[in-house]
Amino acid sequence: MTEPAALAFEERQYSLPQLDALADGLAANLAKAGLAAGQRAAVMASNRPEFVAALLAIWRLGATVVLISPAWKRDEVDHALGLTQPSHAIGDHPVLADLMPMLHLDEPITPTEPTPRSLPPRADAVLVFSSGTTGLPKAVRHTHAALHEAVRQWREALQLTRSDRIQIVTPPSHILGLLNILTVLRTGAWMRLHPRFDIDRMLQHIESDRITIEMAVAPIALAIASHPTLESFDLSSLRYIMWGATPVSASVAETVTKRTGVGWLPAYGTTELPVIACNPLDGPRLDSVGRSVAGVDIRVISLQTGEPVAPGEIGEIQARSDTLMAGYLPSEATAEVIHDGWYRTGDVGWLDVGGWLRITDRLKEMIKVRGFQVAPAEIETVLHGHPAVKDCAVFGVPDGINGEAVVAAVAICSPLDEEAVAADLTARVDERLASYKRLSRVVFVPDIPRLPSGKVLRRVLKERYGCTTNS
């Protein structure tokens, strides 16, 4: 009897036994290269079947996966490698290959018979990068046990079954892409991987593959809502579209529902705690990220006293669960966000008496662009390298569906052609950092407002220059 397909990519189809055999063949190649239990292997690859096989192969050797974004450039990847110290690398990206010996996923893999293996539940399964609250990106450590529980929570929140069909266009190095892939695999559902987001291909495959659950972040939602011929696609197979990574833009969601009849399922999670809250399928709402999922406790803490507040009162959102990260690398950063088992999300919001959670703001200085967190300090480091820059500070401004856009306030050393300097700085960031970290605007200031301690008063900058961007 032929095994049913579990994964599709372009014209290729793979059953679960075929994926297992591919993973074992890749594990054999990695073992020959010297990868052993307890070591780390960097993975920098596009969304493809071999990426999934690489995850499974590394785990079968008892090693830890270090996920590196394929959008990152050399300096970003170099920082990630220095922080995590992987002994091996696997992927399809030339940046990673330039920095250390890499087993290329285009190389032939000889499938072998799957070998069942058990993994230590408390061992690190994966390191996923998040910028945390300040500074350069941090590596978030998730154990096998925590990841297993996160998958269970996500499956229950989505009410995912073996009969569901999902396509994944979000980056696999991002926690949402990783969580979706693992949840589909462990549920026995079907998925299609796309190497990159293309709205027409996505809509065509909802129709041709009879996709039942679509995963969306804000730019995808906007692309669906603004598609000129959306009504020409048959989307009747969809049970709902999940909206994550940024708060729902109600007007965009309502436009899609009006044009297609498909409803939305808002959800909330972070790299550090992947599943926090989700709307129930029997009564989803666009004004809330939902109620806490089973296995996650949520509380709201006063910004003034640090004590829990009553329903309806605004404060910092905190959560605890067995799915909480094991910690950051560098490890000393962990204490900034975990206190007595509670994770400080850095988000500000409130809970109503029914347990519905609403997010209104963020304490963090992080800039959230299309669901990705951008650290101001990382961009400031690049800007400070320009000879014309005396001082600078980076902050976010509202940018509609994208969440926020990146703005740099710059004080220059002497009178110069500001337009030319702005162009130079924008190009400098484009050259060194991922595209979602690009500058939308450069504003020139006489000096950067700071506290006596040297801390930048970003709120002052936002008040002065924080109008919505038109870029």
Side-chain angles (χ1 to χ4, degrees):
M1 179 178 176
T2 304
E3 289 282 348
L7 183 152
F9 179 77
E10 296 176 339
E11 303 306 315
R12 290 183 275 161
Q13 299 266 352
Y14 296 82
S15 66
L16 285 178
Q18 286 173 324
L19 273 179
D20 277 337
L22 196 63
D24 273 326
L26 201 47
N29 291 346
L30 288 168
K32 288 177 185 175
L35 182 62
Q39 294 181 323
R40 295 171 181 159
V43 180
M44 187 177 186
S46 57
N47 215 359
R48 55 189 287 179
E50 293 83 2
F51 169 84
V52 179
L55 293 181
L56 301 177
I58 292 166
W59 288 336
R60 287 173 189 188
L61 295 175
T64 301
V65 175
V66 178
L67 287 180
I68 297 178
S69 170
W72 282 1
K73 296 180 181 175
R74 185 183 180 90
D75 288 352
E76 296 163 297
V77 177
D78 195 39
H79 165 74
L81 298 180
L83 188 61
T84 57
Q85 295 293 303
S87 59
H88 293 73
I90 183 169
D92 59 11
H93 205 288
V95 171
L96 182 60
D98 283 346
L99 290 170
M100 64 184 295
M102 184 187 80
L103 178 62
H104 204 292
L105 290 175
D106 285 342
E107 293 179 13
I109 302 170
T110 304
T112 61
E113 284 297 317
T115 305
R117 294 176 176 88
S118 60
L119 295 165
R122 299 300 166 189
D124 284 350
V126 65
L127 303 184
V128 191
F129 279 88
S130 170
S131 295
T133 56
T134 57
L136 294 170
K138 300 173 180 65
V140 174
R141 297 172 43 228
H142 279 296
T143 65
H144 287 282
L147 211 53
H148 181 82
E149 177 65 6
V151 165
R152 184 195 66 77
Q153 291 176 353
W154 196 225
R155 181 173 59 235
E156 290 186 1
L158 300 178
Q159 293 188 17
L160 190 69
T161 71
R162 292 176 61 88
S163 61
D164 277 308
R165 300 169 69 82
I166 294 177
Q167 58 181 344
I168 299 171
V169 298
T170 52
S173 56
H174 188 276
I175 193 65
L176 180 60
L178 175 68
L179 185 64
N180 286 335
I181 288 172
L182 295 180
T183 303
V184 170
L185 281 178
R186 294 177 185 178
T187 303
W190 182 94
M191 66 178 146
R192 174 175 290 280
L193 300 182
H194 292 273
R196 66 193 63 82
F197 171 62
D198 179 289
I199 183 61
D200 287 306
R201 285 180 61 84
M202 191 189 89
L203 293 172
Q204 287 164 6
H205 279 288
I206 292 175
E207 179 176 316
S208 62
D209 291 332
R210 305 303 293 162
I211 299 296
T212 61
I213 298 173
E214 186 59 61
M215 302 292 182
V217 292
I220 296 176
L222 180 60
I224 298 173
S226 61
H227 196 284
T229 60
L230 180 62
E231 288 82 359
S232 68
F233 295 94
D234 178 5
L235 308 185
S236 62
S237 59
L238 286 178
R239 294 205 280 132
Y240 56 80
I241 307 172
M242 192 287 301
W243 185 311
T246 59
V248 169
S249 297
S251 61
V252 173
E254 288 164 354
T255 296
V256 172
T257 300
K258 184 177 179 180
R259 295 182 66 187
T260 67
V262 180
W264 293 84
L265 189 78
Y268 171 50
T270 68
T271 305
E272 293 84 352
L273 208 168
V275 190
I276 296 176
C278 188
N279 271 245
L281 266 64
D282 59 358
R285 297 160 44 166
L286 298 181
D287 66 339
S288 168
V289 293
R291 298 187 182 102
S292 62
V293 299
V296 176
D297 298 320
I298 296 177
R299 69 180 185 181
V300 178
I301 298 298
S302 168
L303 302 179
Q304 286 74 40
T305 67
E307 296 298 319
V309 300
E313 292 185 35
I314 290 177
E316 183 187 19
I317 299 164
Q318 299 188 351
R320 66 181 178 186
S321 173
D322 290 341
T323 61
L324 180 60
M325 67 173 180
Y328 284 129
L329 291 180
S331 58
E332 58 269 19
T334 307
E336 298 173 13
V337 298
I338 299 178
H339 299 278
D340 297 325
W342 287 93
Y343 163 58
R344 300 182 57 187
T345 65
D347 292 319
V348 176
W350 55 282
L351 284 162
D352 68 16
V353 291
W356 291 84
L357 179 66
R358 292 165 180 82
I359 300 171
T360 59
D361 205 345
R362 287 205 315 283
L363 284 176
K364 298 179 179 180
E365 293 182 342
M366 301 308 302
I367 304 164
K368 201 161 191 178
V369 181
R370 303 195 306 274
F372 294 98
Q373 291 196 67
V374 178
E378 186 179 20
I379 301 175
E380 288 161 4
T381 299
V382 174
L383 298 179
H384 273 297
H386 192 287
V389 173
K390 180 174 66 176
D391 199 3
C392 66
V394 169
F395 57 97
V397 299
D399 189 27
I401 195 73
N402 290 319
E404 291 181 297
V406 181
V407 176
V410 176
I412 53 179
C413 300
S414 58
L416 294 167
D417 181 346
E418 291 183 351
E419 187 173 342
V421 173
D424 282 349
L425 294 175
T426 301
R428 190 180 184 89
V429 172
D430 285 347
E431 180 185 346
R432 288 168 172 78
L433 301 178
S435 60
Y436 60 83
K437 300 175 185 178
R438 73 178 303 272
L439 299 179
S440 69
R441 184 155 48 106
V442 177
V443 295
F444 290 92
V445 299
D447 51 53
I448 301 298
R450 295 179 183 270
L451 291 171
S453 64
K455 182 177 175 62
V456 174
L457 294 171
R458 297 185 203 277
R459 185 174 297 276
V460 173
L461 291 169
K462 288 186 178 187
E463 289 171 355
R464 291 178 184 168
Y465 310 105
C467 58
T468 303
T469 181
N470 293 317
S471 62

